[in-house]
Amino acid sequence: MNEDLIVENIDLAENLFSKNYSAFIKEKPRTVTIEDEVFALYSFEKMIALTTINIMQVSEVRALKAYANTLKDILGPTIYDQKGKGWSMLMLSASIIIGSNTEGDLLFIDRHDGKTLYIFRHDDGSLFKTKMTLYKLIKAYSVALSLITYCISY
């Protein structure tokens, strides 16, 4: 689990995502509301920024690796979301963070399917499966941006 803790440059961070998401996140800084919580989506610069979690230095986009490393000693090799879906610590550590809220909870992409968004509660290590997918997120916030642009131009 200690491999690939640091994403060294923006190009490597971009390679973690589809071209659609890369273009979406490059457009402008964004905040999104998911499950009635506001999350700031990470720019590629923020994704590669270093942070220290439980004495491990990692890139923000890979912070779940550090959390999983600590949680496996406390909770064991598997954790469960609110619906009882099991997550191995290996799968959790391989997941990619795309944003955070003001409480420090993390928004990440489900490593199982590469599209469903989950919330990781950093204070207790719990997982919450959202109804949102990466595609729906891009569509919802791109449409909103298009409508605002349309209204301003008239």
Side-chain angles (χ1 to χ4, degrees):
M1 262 195 242
N2 292 331
E3 295 177 17
D4 198 26
L5 295 174
I6 297 175
V7 179
E8 295 181 358
N9 60 55
I10 290 172
D11 291 335
L12 292 174
E14 275 189 61
N15 290 338
L16 297 172
F17 301 94
S18 69
K19 290 183 182 188
N20 288 344
Y21 187 76
S22 291
F24 172 76
I25 204 61
K26 280 184 188 178
E27 265 182 23
K28 66 176 193 143
R30 296 180 189 268
T31 56
V32 297
T33 302
I34 298 175
E35 304 295 332
D36 297 325
E37 295 183 52
V38 177
F39 289 87
L41 297 182
Y42 291 170
S43 66
F44 288 117
E45 291 81 7
K46 174 72 172 163
M47 288 180 195
I48 66 171
L50 298 179
T51 186
T52 302
I53 299 167
N54 301 327
I55 70 166
M56 291 179 71
Q57 190 172 43
V58 297
S59 295
E60 292 278 355
V61 73
R62 293 291 192 191
L64 285 174
K65 286 184 176 274
Y67 282 112
N69 194 43
T70 301
L71 288 173
K72 72 179 177 177
D73 295 334
I74 300 166
L75 301 175
T78 306
I79 58 174
Y80 300 89
D81 68 14
Q82 83 277 16
K83 295 184 177 192
K85 178 181 176 184
W87 278 72
S88 74
M89 289 299 172
L90 187 59
M91 286 301 274
L92 181 64
S93 71
S95 296
I96 302 168
I97 297 171
I98 62 169
S100 61
N101 65 16
T102 56
E103 288 81 36
D105 296 331
L106 304 173
L107 182 65
F108 71 95
I109 302 169
D110 179 349
R111 186 68 176 148
H112 292 100
D113 68 13
K115 61 184 179 182
T116 305
L117 299 181
Y118 270 77
I119 300 169
F120 173 78
R121 306 277 183 219
H122 76 287
D123 57 347
D124 65 2
S126 64
L127 300 177
F128 183 85
K129 181 179 182 180
T130 73
K131 296 175 186 169
M132 185 68 74
T133 64
L134 202 54
Y135 173 77
K136 288 179 186 176
L137 177 81
I138 294 168
K139 186 176 177 183
Y141 284 89
S142 294
V143 168
L145 181 62
S146 298
L147 288 174
I148 291 168
T149 304
Y150 176 79
C151 291
I152 291 173
S153 65
Y154 280 95

